[in-house]
Amino acid sequence: MNRHRGYLVLALVAILAVALLPASNLEAQGSKGTVKIATQSPLSGGQAALGEGIKLGAQLAVEKFKGALEKQGFKVELVPFDDQAKPDVGVANAKNIIADKDILAVIGHLNSGVAIPSSEVYKEVSLAMISPANTNPVVTDRGYPNVNRVCGRDDVQGVVGSEFASATMKAKSVYIIHDKTPYGQGVAEFFKADAEKKGIKVLGFEGTEEKSNFDPIVTPMKAKNPDVIYFGGIYDQAAPFFKQSREKGVKGKFFGPDGMDSSDLTKIAGKAVVGMYYTSAAGPASELPRAKAFVDEFKKKFGKNPEPYAAEAYDAATMALKGIEAAAKGGKLPTREDVATAVRKTKLPNGITGDIEFDSKGDRKKALYFVLQVASDDPGKWGNNKIVKQLAIAAPAAPKK
Amino acid sequence: MPALFEARGVTKRFGGLTALHDVHFAIDQGISSIIGPNGAGKTTLFNIFTGLYGADEGSVTFRDQPLLGLRPDQITALGICRTFQNIRLFANMTAIENVLVGMNSRISLRLWDVLSRSPGFRRTESELAARAVSLLDRVGLQASANIVARNLPYGDRRRLELARALASEPALLLLDEPTAGMTQGEASALMHLLRNLVADLGLAIILIEHNMRVVMEVSDRVTVLDHGEKIAEGPPREVQSDARVIEAYLGKRGAAPRTRGRAAH
Amino acid sequence: MDVDLLIGIFPQVLLDGITLGFMYALIALGYTMVYGVLEFINFAHSEIFIFGAFVGVEVLLGLKSIGLLDGLPWPLVLILALVVGMGASGLLAVTVERIAYRPLRGAPRLIPLISAIGISFFLQDLIRLVESLWRNAFNLVYPTMDVLNLRFELSETIDVSVKSLVVIGGALLMLWALHLIVNRTKVGTAIRAVAEDQAAASLMGIDVNRIISLTFLIGGAMGGAAGVLFGVQYGLINPYSGFIPGLKAFTAAVLGGIGNIPGAMLGGLVLGLLEAFAAAYLSLLTGGAFGAEYKDILAFSMLILILIFRPKGLLGEVVRERA
Amino acid sequence: MIRSLIAVALVGLSALAVATFPRSVLVFLLFQGSLLYVFKARMPDPLRWGLLATSLLVLMPTIGYFNSYYLEVATQVGIFVALALGLNIVVGLAGLLDLGYVAFFAVGAYSWAILGSPHANVIFGGETFPLAGWWFYVFLFVGLGTAAITGILLGLPVLRLHGDYLAIVTLGFGEVIRVLANNLDKPINFTNGPKGITPISRPPTPFGIPYGEFFYFLALLIVVAVIVVNRRLEDSHIGRAWEAIREDELAARAMGVSLVRMKLMAFACGASFAGVMGVLFSAKQVFINPESFTFLESIGVLAMVILGGMGSIPGAIVGATVVTVLNLQVLKGFSLWLNELKNAGVTVLGYSLADLPTQFEPAKYERMVFGIILVLMMIFRPQGIFPARRRQRELAK
């Protein structure tokens, strides 16, 4: 009995395999070739919201700018991959990506922990990777010719933050919380180091994976009464933290990196975060018309506000397309190496997140950093946040080996 | 000369309940039965003898070595093995594997022997298998060697448990109601087997038994427990007519103990 | 070391710990009820709990959209959310039992446990799917009710929010109600009988399946209540955020003696206090060498110690092995 | 005879199909299915093992040469097979439910990651690290030993616990190891915390084999070793003692089985397999951080064991393959396929797939599918795909 059922299953698989074979060959018809851009970000699990933002941002850009390539006779597609925020899955996907010769660029990842091992795979075939979110210095400090990022670096952003805290906020003391992720802890550590250099007293430095209940962390913090509270992390954790802090009567000013940049921050924390500052590489919709256009378009298409990194992903995908266009001069399907070289040289003067141009390591030549202030407790008015300060900082040179 | 196995003043309490009180017991050879009404503390006594429970007071010695405080496997290694009232075979293992597990305390192979399949390992394994077969043969189960224990008929399971206990080469065997649920014929056959074991191997056997006919037929000595205390001890005939025993079994109205205990449960 | 600071924050940390503890206790009840009757870890309880939170937020958002959130008196709103959340979670728990556990009764223990893990994954994504379709988002924010955010300042470093009081009060009420149900009603007697010996209970004319469903209903409802209170207290929920509190609550249940209702409360409180104190004091006491992030290590280490030295938990009776 | 022919034809054709349609997930599944057929169907043993060896030693690397993705999948399958076999000893044979198994994997991975990367200089000072690549081979054994010792350290305090209590303590233990890995960047920086350790050295490969193939063959070699060890343990007094403990702990004790020794041995053996694979994993990935060692991974490995059939070696292998392939290939493949259909503007029953809301993308619901499979398996085939079979002994008369 059982054996027969086993054979039945096997036969079924065989039939399915044959029946679905054509699916993988669908794209081969009627054009000079297909150009694919892959995204890799977590689409399932706890970090799916951010990962989806990356995918949707890239999708928007591809749909908008694929025209130029299509005119040359190429078919342009976006292929989303789910890395589940797991390094081993990311690497397996990466191998799958490099096996598909049509894929000429990758937009990803969300987590540096996934990006670093995966980019080792991309490097094998010189496949261009443009990261919208990996701020870990290691990503580009390895000096791979195919690895770039449109986002800032933890070390820079932390310094921008401490600069602002000391010069503008006139902070005498800070209390630093981070989320124990490579991103959050990274930013927080650089902020801490530079703040100490500038003579700001660091009253506390705590990491927590907690997502809901911040009471026990808030209590000692409140007792120490810092001027500024810096949260290295993402809004979905920071917002409840800020909210609970204010509710418990914490008086210090709130401050954070670009992980705060989401209307959900005010949706969750409401009045608690009005007036707080955050650093960001992306300009606010209120002051940059193209950013506003992006937000509107995104909303129209997907029915929600863009998550953090959606704008970066949009820019990253735009860069990828421009790179491919440049490499495809003459109407021939470019090689991956050509694309990687072209991407490194591409300039995007009017990206949503500012002027984009890569340096020799793949960092942005002059990353523009803004310090913004939350204007209102109405999530719908997130776009009204004002630039308080603007800094253009070049990425630091790679550390000597 | 001291007895092979001796328990002195064993007392065991569970919370406020005294399950055993100052029990003395000794056996040197032959078959000694422990009888008594339900809840008299017979199985508790076995559990103490085999190291599953500690005792609150008293001492237990085997070949002059104190047993209290030893782990069950250490006690088995010394040469005491048992069966259980409610058959505890390794249900998803075959009959022969059950017996082989019983030999565990007699195997001195090291991990490396197992991993490298050294000649010593192979020799030992084949010896063990041969011995397991002969043990199964002895209890009449050779044909069932490859049958998974849970698929054996009830009587066979009882006998398999006996074979498994014998596998550890005990000098003292503790049997907890070995004939429970058996027909009179099966029970008699088993008793015959036990007598043979005593005769062939020089085993000493302690028996907990409800079947009075069996007890009277097979025992050299009988010990009677009631409410955790020993109330009588001696040759079967003597005990049978002891007034306290009759009272314990039947209340004050008095009569000889029934020859059949409770039926299969 | 700043001794004044250490002493100064003590009462506040104590209070935080108690609030958290009651939250754990409420979630733990669901585990404990089911374990007490079936000796089975209902791994999906963390999702049943978070499902309650989602139903609660939908009720509140629904009221808000028809303008009643501020119109109705807040206790009524809260009770409405609680009742609906409890009902929904309870029914979900019963359904899960029917579909995924009942066919497996009598199988080796690992089997229903794996099934429960499967259900847990399934429910996480199901909630996500439904909410993404319905609201185009699955990180949902509890609407604030101003009354709940009121604080009573007892001293400069200590204050109590209405929310915490609601959580503590709600939890106590549930625990008391559950205690009454289990110990004072006919249904409770039946539940205890089934827990003691299913076969005997069914011989006594008790419909074992019905009682087990009922147990899941009650346990699920407690989880739902905990979910709503969780949302009210902490403000943000997503389909995956039940997992960690669920794990902790399960730890609390084991700590107190799983299957034992007062034990769940005690275990929750112990765990809550331990976490609160570890998170608040570790960093202060070690000069920053160890911080709040070690609270989980402490919690689990204590669990291991308790289980080694008192395997049936703080309040569980030590069961004899039957030879 | 017919079966033998079918088997040869299946393997050959499916391998050919994989070469012809390099991107179709389904033909690769067919290839895997044909291996399963070869393993199960009645045929002469030399043919069976010959076919399997050819497939694994020749066909698979050849396929991988043209499409390294398959090789990566195969390598990961190998890693998880070893993990599943290790957990199979603990859970399947000895009946000790371990929910924190991935901790041992982490111990192995970190042992090489720390000393095989410049990070060790942070701990010990100086410039001596990373160790030269060939140390990797030594560390395969160091990882094994370290994990085994960790297994004993976990085993010691939990000896008295069983069933659900053991499960919850091991779960706690797994979390403790992960949280430690995440936090031991201060006061002394052992693990570099969430930022992880990179670059981790890779060993020099014999004959200059490329790393993709190298890790595949190494994983295969380890898996074979693990299977042999597993088989030998199972067919010995140790294996019988484990099973006796699983069946009835109290009776096992009374029959002279030393619980302390046997349980510790089970934990140590199970852990050591994970430790070896951890070392391989860290070198393969070049980078590791605590995200690879979450509770979900432990559950995943447990699911493999149970799906395949507890206590069964072929079961553990098949379970690990099914779960890994499902996770890496099937659902993703389905998503990609749907995506292609969408891009191609295909309509189904007059409904354009391109209009399908993004909420319905299958890739987002991998956990849901995984959950459904677990539940259905438990309800309809709880003994697993390949239930453990009792070995029938030849009785000398």
Side-chain angles (χ1 to χ4, degrees):
Chain A
M1 260 307 281
N2 273 337
R3 177 166 299 135
H4 286 290
R5 212 186 302 158
Y7 293 161
L8 200 70
V9 171
L10 210 63
L12 255 167
V13 172
I15 292 167
L16 265 174
V18 176
L20 294 177
L21 269 180
S24 53
N25 289 349
L26 263 181
E27 74 275 6
Q29 315 134 358
S31 68
K32 277 160 100 180
T34 305
V35 167
K36 291 186 190 168
I37 294 178
T39 64
Q40 263 226 76
S41 55
L43 299 176
S44 58
Q47 302 183 42
L50 288 168
E52 209 187 327
I54 290 177
K55 188 211 127 192
L56 295 178
Q59 188 180 333
L60 200 61
V62 168
E63 281 170 20
K64 202 163 167 208
F65 298 115
K66 68 180 174 184
L69 277 167
E70 281 183 340
K71 255 183 231 153
Q72 295 189 38
F74 299 112
K75 212 165 163 303
V76 183
E77 278 178 22
L78 182 87
V79 220
F81 284 84
D82 175 17
D83 66 24
Q84 298 178 359
K86 283 192 210 156
D88 42 343
V89 178
V91 167
N93 284 346
K95 298 261 184 179
N96 200 0
I97 287 171
I98 65 169
D100 184 347
K101 302 274 186 287
D102 296 337
I103 296 179
L104 295 180
V106 182
I107 311 302
H109 298 231
L110 175 64
N111 311 74
S112 296
V114 186
I116 293 169
S118 301
S119 56
E120 298 283 345
V121 176
Y122 306 138
K123 189 194 151 219
E124 287 171 24
V125 295
S126 308
L127 175 62
M129 160 181 149
I130 308 175
S131 165
N134 302 127
T135 49
N136 189 330
V138 175
V139 172
T140 52
D141 281 352
R142 294 171 301 174
Y144 291 172
N146 61 318
V147 177
N148 313 283
R149 63 173 139 210
V150 297
C151 53
R153 294 165 57 108
D154 294 337
D155 41 5
V156 179
Q157 192 166 182
V159 172
V160 170
S162 68
E163 174 70 39
F164 182 79
S166 118
T168 312
M169 294 169 94
K170 308 274 179 230
K172 296 270 174 300
S173 59
V174 290
Y175 203 96
I176 304 167
I177 310 282
H178 62 84
D179 62 359
K180 295 271 7 157
T181 66
Y183 163 71
Q185 184 168 348
V187 177
E189 277 172 359
F190 286 111
F191 179 87
K192 175 174 179 247
D194 200 61
E196 277 168 347
K197 239 187 264 167
K198 293 194 163 69
I200 302 175
K201 195 159 187 250
V202 177
L203 295 177
F205 185 80
E206 283 278 5
T208 180
E209 290 179 50
E210 181 64 56
K211 294 252 187 282
S212 330
N213 169 35
F214 296 96
D215 288 344
I217 298 175
V218 172
T219 298
M221 184 177 85
K222 183 185 165 194
K224 287 189 171 177
N225 199 19
D227 293 344
V228 169
I229 292 136
Y230 189 84
F231 192 104
I234 308 277
Y235 70 93
D236 64 341
Q237 197 184 8
F241 168 76
F242 289 140
K243 186 168 181 232
Q244 289 172 31
S245 298
R246 273 289 180 268
E247 281 169 5
K248 292 198 109 185
V250 169
K251 298 199 179 60
K253 286 181 185 140
F254 298 148
F255 194 19
D258 58 355
M260 305 297 126
D261 191 0
S262 164
S263 58
D264 275 6
L265 185 78
T266 47
K267 199 167 143 197
I268 300 162
K271 280 180 217 135
V273 293
V274 173
M276 81 164 275
Y277 299 106
Y278 60 94
T279 52
S280 172
S286 60
E287 299 187 25
L288 297 173
R290 47 180 192 265
K292 184 168 172 9
F294 166 73
V295 173
D296 290 346
E297 237 171 303
F298 194 98
K299 246 181 153 167
K300 200 172 132 221
K301 176 120 180 116
F302 305 115
K304 56 183 167 191
N305 274 315
E307 301 279 343
Y309 310 123
E312 281 88 346
Y314 181 91
D315 276 352
T318 314
M319 287 291 281
L321 283 167
K322 292 198 119 198
I324 296 167
E325 276 168 41
K329 285 248 165 69
K332 266 203 338 213
L333 200 62
T335 66
R336 282 174 169 162
E337 255 170 74
D338 293 345
V339 173
T341 320
V343 163
R344 190 52 64 85
K345 285 189 203 141
T346 301
K347 287 179 192 170
L348 182 68
N350 47 6
I352 302 165
T353 60
D355 304 344
I356 304 176
E357 197 180 332
F358 296 127
D359 66 10
S360 58
K361 300 199 293 340
D363 278 317
R364 281 172 73 161
K365 251 188 192 155
K366 256 205 190 136
L368 205 54
Y369 287 90
F370 304 97
V371 180
L372 294 100
Q373 188 170 29
V374 178
S376 154
D377 65 340
D378 178 358
K381 292 185 183 159
W382 184 255
N384 296 355
N385 292 348
K386 291 272 180 298
I387 296 178
V388 186
K389 196 160 178 162
Q390 196 166 332
L391 297 140
I393 297 182
K400 283 184 208 94
K401 295 253 158 126
Chain B
M1 205 184 99
L4 174 76
F5 176 88
E6 194 168 2
R8 285 196 206 109
V10 171
T11 299
K12 175 75 186 171
R13 298 182 200 91
F14 292 113
L17 178 85
T18 304
L20 290 171
H21 178 67
D22 194 27
V23 175
H24 291 259
F25 182 88
I27 180 170
D28 209 28
Q29 57 188 6
I31 299 180
S32 180
S33 295
I34 300 177
I35 65 170
N38 286 329
K42 304 181 297 288
T43 297
T44 307
L45 199 60
F46 266 24
N47 286 342
I48 289 171
F49 289 172
T50 51
L52 292 175
Y53 294 167
D56 293 309
E57 285 163 36
S59 70
V60 180
T61 55
F62 178 67
R63 289 175 175 149
D64 275 347
Q65 177 164 4
L67 295 185
L68 290 180
L70 292 186
R71 293 192 313 267
D73 57 294
Q74 293 170 319
I75 293 176
T76 307
L78 288 174
I80 300 179
C81 203
R82 69 174 290 181
T83 66
F84 295 90
Q85 185 180 348
N86 46 348
I87 311 183
R88 302 187 76 143
L89 288 168
F90 307 121
N92 289 310
M93 300 170 78
T94 59
I96 192 166
E97 285 173 331
N98 267 277
V99 176
L100 286 170
V101 170
M103 298 173 181
N104 240 35
S105 56
R106 298 282 167 260
I107 301 174
S108 55
L109 292 171
R110 317 207 127 251
L111 183 61
W112 179 245
D113 295 316
V114 172
L115 294 183
S116 65
R117 293 265 146 121
S118 66
F121 171 83
R122 282 175 223 214
R123 200 178 48 242
T124 317
E125 275 287 298
S126 62
E127 280 168 16
L128 293 179
R131 218 160 67 70
V133 171
S134 82
L135 276 171
L136 286 174
D137 208 15
R138 192 179 261 278
V139 299
L141 282 176
Q142 203 198 11
S144 312
N146 274 328
I147 296 178
V148 172
R150 91 180 109 81
N151 295 338
L152 287 173
Y154 181 83
D156 286 0
R157 277 186 264 164
R158 282 254 173 245
R159 285 186 290 164
L160 177 57
E161 220 193 359
L162 179 64
R164 184 181 68 178
L166 287 171
S168 68
E169 301 169 26
L172 174 66
L173 195 57
L174 311 182
L175 303 179
D176 199 343
E177 297 197 38
T179 66
M182 284 186 172
T183 63
Q184 197 61 48
E186 286 174 322
S188 295
L190 187 72
M191 288 308 125
H192 184 69
L193 178 65
L194 291 185
R195 284 258 61 124
N196 280 346
L197 287 174
V198 172
D200 298 351
L201 308 172
L203 274 182
I205 296 177
I206 309 177
L207 204 61
I208 292 179
E209 195 43 77
H210 274 104
N211 186 334
M212 282 308 150
R213 190 191 287 176
V214 168
V215 172
M216 294 309 151
E217 209 175 284
V218 83
S219 310
D220 300 314
R221 281 176 80 78
V222 176
T223 304
V224 188
L225 283 185
D226 188 25
H227 289 108
E229 294 193 48
K230 186 162 84 178
I231 54 172
E233 190 169 31
R237 293 279 151 232
E238 249 171 57
V239 169
Q240 204 170 15
S241 48
D242 187 300
R244 283 182 70 190
V245 176
I246 295 165
E247 189 188 312
Y249 266 82
L250 291 176
K252 297 212 173 203
R253 274 168 291 144
R258 286 174 297 167
T259 41
R260 275 189 69 90
R262 58 182 169 158
H265 40 121
Chain C
M1 208 181 301
D2 190 347
V3 178
D4 284 347
L5 180 76
L6 293 181
I7 298 169
I9 61 172
F10 185 85
Q12 182 69 47
V13 176
L14 189 70
L15 190 73
D16 295 342
I18 291 174
T19 315
L20 181 64
F22 274 110
M23 188 70 77
Y24 285 154
L26 262 186
I27 310 171
L29 283 176
Y31 288 107
T32 257
M33 285 288 293
V34 170
Y35 194 93
V37 172
L38 287 178
E39 300 216 334
F40 155 64
I41 303 174
N42 182 10
F43 221 88
H45 187 65
S46 51
E47 277 61 48
I48 288 165
F49 147 74
I50 210 69
F51 179 72
F54 272 92
V55 172
V57 79
E58 286 298 340
V59 169
L60 295 182
L61 289 173
L63 285 176
K64 196 176 177 185
S65 68
I66 53 171
L68 279 179
L69 188 60
D70 300 316
L72 292 172
W74 69 268
L76 194 67
V77 172
L78 202 64
I79 288 172
L80 192 67
L82 272 173
V83 168
V84 179
M86 287 172 75
S89 282
L91 288 179
L92 178 67
V94 172
T95 317
V96 165
E97 193 269 332
R98 274 306 267 278
I99 295 171
Y101 305 156
R102 188 172 297 179
L104 304 177
R105 217 175 286 157
R109 274 182 158 193
L110 278 175
I111 301 296
L113 186 69
I114 299 295
S115 182
I117 290 170
I119 286 288
S120 160
F121 284 0
F122 172 76
L123 286 178
Q124 285 176 359
D125 272 1
L126 186 71
I127 296 173
R128 173 180 170 184
L129 178 65
V130 171
E131 288 294 348
S132 323
L133 287 176
W134 169 241
R135 298 213 174 263
N136 203 7
F138 53 87
N139 280 318
L140 292 188
V141 181
Y142 262 69
T144 36
M145 288 184 275
D146 292 333
V147 192
L148 293 180
N149 287 332
L150 279 183
R151 293 182 298 128
F152 305 112
E153 204 153 311
L154 302 180
S155 81
E156 202 175 323
T157 46
I158 311 159
D159 55 55
V160 189
S161 72
V162 175
K163 277 198 303 204
S164 324
L165 293 179
V166 165
V167 170
I168 296 175
L172 279 173
L173 199 72
M174 302 283 165
L175 285 162
W176 177 70
L178 190 62
H179 186 74
L180 284 191
I181 292 175
V182 173
N183 290 315
R184 297 266 191 285
T185 64
K186 241 175 107 178
V187 170
T189 316
I191 290 178
R192 280 180 294 144
V194 172
E196 201 64 41
D197 186 340
Q198 281 185 30
S202 81
L203 286 177
M204 306 289 284
I206 295 172
D207 181 347
V208 172
N209 276 335
R210 209 178 61 93
I211 293 301
I212 288 174
S213 288
L214 203 69
T215 311
F216 273 85
L217 184 75
I218 296 172
M222 292 294 150
V228 175
L229 290 175
F230 181 87
V232 168
Q233 172 77 6
Y234 301 125
L236 179 72
I237 52 172
N238 87 44
Y240 309 98
S241 60
F243 190 72
I244 297 291
L247 212 61
K248 297 275 182 61
F250 179 68
T251 307
V254 177
L255 210 58
I258 195 159
N260 177 319
I261 293 169
M265 192 168 88
L266 182 70
L269 281 177
V270 170
L271 193 69
L273 286 170
L274 183 80
E275 271 198 23
F277 277 98
Y281 279 99
L282 259 179
S283 173
L284 296 173
L285 290 175
T286 60
F290 299 97
E293 62 268 25
Y294 280 88
K295 66 178 181 172
D296 289 359
I297 291 194
L298 274 182
F300 285 121
S301 308
M302 187 172 77
L303 176 78
I304 294 174
L305 289 178
I306 287 275
L307 284 180
I308 290 163
F309 294 109
R310 211 181 144 71
K312 285 289 164 178
L314 296 172
L315 290 188
E317 66 218 76
V318 177
V319 184
R320 271 198 285 149
E321 276 178 306
R322 276 168 283 229
Chain D
M1 194 54 213
I2 297 174
R3 290 203 178 86
S4 311
L5 283 177
I6 295 179
V8 175
L10 257 179
V11 171
L13 282 177
S14 59
L16 202 67
V18 175
T20 323
F21 305 99
R23 295 204 43 250
S24 171
V25 168
L26 285 162
V27 288
F28 188 56
L29 285 182
L30 190 67
F31 177 65
Q32 291 162 339
S34 70
L35 293 188
L36 190 63
Y37 179 83
V38 171
F39 182 76
K40 275 308 270 187
R42 225 172 295 151
M43 66 179 78
D45 266 354
L47 178 67
R48 183 199 316 278
W49 298 116
L51 270 177
L52 283 179
T54 318
S55 306
L56 292 175
L57 293 176
V58 180
L59 292 179
M60 192 58 234
T62 316
I63 292 171
Y65 179 77
F66 293 107
N67 188 338
S68 62
Y69 170 55
Y70 291 136
L71 208 58
E72 171 69 22
V73 172
T75 312
Q76 288 204 21
V77 166
I79 291 177
F80 282 111
V81 165
L83 292 185
L85 285 170
L87 189 62
N88 185 44
I89 288 186
V90 184
V91 179
L93 288 183
L96 306 164
L97 182 50
D98 184 347
L99 292 182
Y101 183 67
V102 80
F104 306 123
F105 187 49
V107 167
Y110 270 98
S111 66
W112 173 240
I114 291 173
L115 294 175
S117 75
H119 179 75
N121 295 330
V122 178
I123 308 172
F124 304 108
E127 293 285 328
T128 31
F129 294 98
L131 294 174
W134 60 266
W135 275 95
F136 169 81
Y137 298 104
V138 179
F139 263 76
L140 286 174
F141 296 95
V142 174
L144 181 146
T146 320
I149 291 168
T150 317
I152 291 173
L153 287 182
L154 164 69
L156 273 177
V158 303
L159 278 175
R160 288 170 50 188
L161 306 174
H162 22 143
D164 303 321
Y165 289 91
L166 182 70
I168 199 72
V169 168
T170 49
L171 189 160
F173 172 77
E175 274 300 281
V176 165
I177 294 281
R178 187 191 64 81
V179 175
L180 275 181
N182 210 21
N183 288 308
L184 272 184
D185 48 353
K186 64 175 187 180
I188 301 171
N189 189 351
F190 283 110
T191 63
N192 209 23
K195 283 178 285 182
I197 298 176
T198 193
I200 300 165
S201 310
R202 284 174 164 185
T205 62
F207 318 116
I209 307 174
Y211 279 116
E213 279 75 11
F214 170 72
F215 285 118
Y216 167 75
F217 280 118
L218 188 60
L220 194 63
L221 187 74
I222 296 175
V223 165
V224 171
V226 164
I227 292 173
V228 170
V229 168
N230 224 328
R231 281 286 303 267
R232 294 189 164 182
L233 286 171
E234 203 181 312
D235 283 342
S236 75
H237 66 286
I238 297 173
R240 291 192 295 268
W242 284 337
E243 286 185 79
I245 291 173
R246 177 191 71 196
E247 294 293 312
D248 188 331
E249 192 172 308
L250 192 122
R253 283 161 74 197
M255 290 308 121
V257 173
S258 165
L259 281 193
V260 179
R261 269 189 55 190
M262 287 304 158
K263 280 190 174 179
L264 288 184
M265 210 183 268
F267 273 117
C269 288
S272 60
F273 298 166
V276 181
M277 274 305 179
V279 174
L280 185 148
F281 179 76
S282 70
K284 180 178 95 63
Q285 295 287 101
V286 185
F287 167 93
I288 60 162
N289 76 356
E291 281 166 29
S292 298
F293 311 106
T294 58
F295 173 61
L296 276 176
E297 299 283 325
S298 292
I299 293 291
V301 180
L302 182 68
M304 293 168 191
V305 173
I306 296 198
L307 210 60
M310 286 209 298
S312 145
I313 293 175
I317 297 170
V318 172
T321 311
V322 168
V323 172
T324 314
V325 168
L326 195 74
N327 195 23
L328 290 179
Q329 279 203 293
V330 177
L331 298 171
K332 288 204 165 58
F334 187 60
S335 273
L336 287 175
W337 178 62
L338 206 70
N339 187 56
E340 279 176 4
L341 291 184
K342 274 170 96 171
N343 282 333
V346 173
T347 54
V348 173
L349 301 173
Y351 181 83
S352 170
L353 282 180
D355 294 341
L356 203 66
T358 56
Q359 283 84 355
F360 279 117
E361 274 169 23
K364 293 181 189 169
Y365 299 101
E366 292 189 341
R367 286 182 192 214
M368 183 188 277
V369 177
F370 192 50
I372 292 174
I373 290 172
L374 283 184
V375 174
L376 291 182
M377 271 303 286
M378 289 307 101
I379 294 177
F380 296 109
R381 200 175 164 82
Q383 71 275 40
I385 304 171
F386 272 76
R389 288 242 180 83
R390 301 313 313 171
R391 191 161 73 103
Q392 300 292 304
R393 281 171 181 275
E394 299 288 328
L395 298 182
K397 180 68 192 176

